[in-house]
Amino acid sequence: MTTPAAIRTLLSRERRPGDLVFAVFFLAISVFLLSQIGTESKWVKGTGTVAQPMFWPAVSLLGMTGFALCHFFGAVVSPRMAGRLGEVLFWVRSIEYALWFMAYVWIVPTVGYLPSTVIFSTLLCLRVGYREKRFLAMAAVMALAVVIVFKGFLSVKIPGGQLYEHLPDGIRNFMLLYL
């Protein structure tokens, strides 16, 4: 349970070591996206303002850039605390999970949806620290359930793996259609 002291610590102005780095990053991305709007969307003659293809994306990007500017200025004037690099490195660590997902997407066409999902769910279970056999078994069962629901019941079209080509005909067809 969160205590009032913990809430005050979370809300205090002193707990912001990486705020400036985040503000600069967010501002740079929003300015870049705003600079690209002319190449990604059009303003059509004879169409009402609100119905323009460029109108709502422009509104959202202007808002995003405005709030990013406010955040940046707020970060500049707020007191700095030690630990900015540590916090930024903590943020960068989250990229690891995006890399896990990219590896999963890369390996599915080769190994197949079912084996890849079971392998990656158990590996991620190990990665986050669950080492007991019951947790690994639950991760594998959950992966199997996900595959059955997505391919069997929802009929999501996911290409079969190249590994499936080496299976006997009947099993290969079942794996391609349902797993």
Side-chain angles (χ1 to χ4, degrees), residues 131-155:
R131 307 267 191 271
E132 295 179 34
K133 289 180 183 178
R134 67 184 175 118
F135 292 122
L136 298 175
M138 283 191 278
V141 168
M142 182 274 315
L144 180 63
V146 166
V147 170
I148 289 171
V149 167
F150 275 84
K151 284 215 57 174
F153 294 120
L154 299 177
S155 299

Side-chain angles (χ1 to χ4, degrees), residues 76-147:
V76 167
V77 298
S78 67
R80 292 277 59 91
M81 298 290 295
R84 181 178 299 160
L85 180 62
E87 187 168 339
V88 171
L89 291 176
F90 181 76
W91 295 343
V92 170
R93 284 185 13 204
S94 65
I95 294 173
E96 172 195 354
Y97 292 97
L99 295 174
W100 275 95
F101 179 71
M102 288 174 16
Y104 171 74
V105 169
W106 180 71
I107 201 169
V108 165
T110 305
V111 178
Y113 185 46
L114 174 64
S116 299
T117 306
V118 170
I119 290 167
F120 274 88
S121 66
T122 53
L123 285 175
L124 282 171
C125 188
L126 286 168
R127 169 61 187 97
V128 296
Y130 294 102
R131 307 267 191 271
E132 295 179 34
K133 289 180 183 178
R134 67 184 175 118
F135 292 122
L136 298 175
M138 283 191 278
V141 168
M142 182 274 315
L144 180 63
V146 166
V147 170

Side-chain angles (χ1 to χ4, degrees), residues 2-172:
T2 306
T3 64
I7 292 172
R8 278 193 302 275
T9 303
L10 287 171
L11 297 177
S12 76
R13 292 177 52 95
E14 297 175 357
R15 194 172 188 274
R16 302 171 67 170
D19 194 36
L20 182 62
V21 176
F22 179 78
V24 168
F25 179 72
F26 191 67
L27 180 61
I29 286 185
S30 61
V31 167
F32 170 75
L33 290 173
L34 188 60
S35 73
Q36 300 303 306
I37 194 161
T39 61
E40 297 297 324
S41 189
K42 302 283 184 230
W43 195 268
V44 181
K45 291 181 182 180
T47 304
T49 303
V50 178
Q52 290 290 338
M54 186 187 286
F55 180 74
W56 290 111
V59 167
S60 64
L61 288 174
L62 284 169
M64 182 175 155
T65 305
F67 285 115
L69 273 170
C70 291
H71 184 196
F72 173 73
F73 289 130
V76 167
V77 298
S78 67
R80 292 277 59 91
M81 298 290 295
R84 181 178 299 160
L85 180 62
E87 187 168 339
V88 171
L89 291 176
F90 181 76
W91 295 343
V92 170
R93 284 185 13 204
S94 65
I95 294 173
E96 172 195 354
Y97 292 97
L99 295 174
W100 275 95
F101 179 71
M102 288 174 16
Y104 171 74
V105 169
W106 180 71
I107 201 169
V108 165
T110 305
V111 178
Y113 185 46
L114 174 64
S116 299
T117 306
V118 170
I119 290 167
F120 274 88
S121 66
T122 53
L123 285 175
L124 282 171
C125 188
L126 286 168
R127 169 61 187 97
V128 296
Y130 294 102
R131 307 267 191 271
E132 295 179 34
K133 289 180 183 178
R134 67 184 175 118
F135 292 122
L136 298 175
M138 283 191 278
V141 168
M142 182 274 315
L144 180 63
V146 166
V147 170
I148 289 171
V149 167
F150 275 84
K151 284 215 57 174
F153 294 120
L154 299 177
S155 299
V156 175
K157 303 296 181 215
I158 298 171
Q162 293 172 356
L163 187 66
Y164 292 176
E165 298 300 323
H166 301 289
L167 296 172
D169 288 339
I171 296 173
R172 183 181 72 228

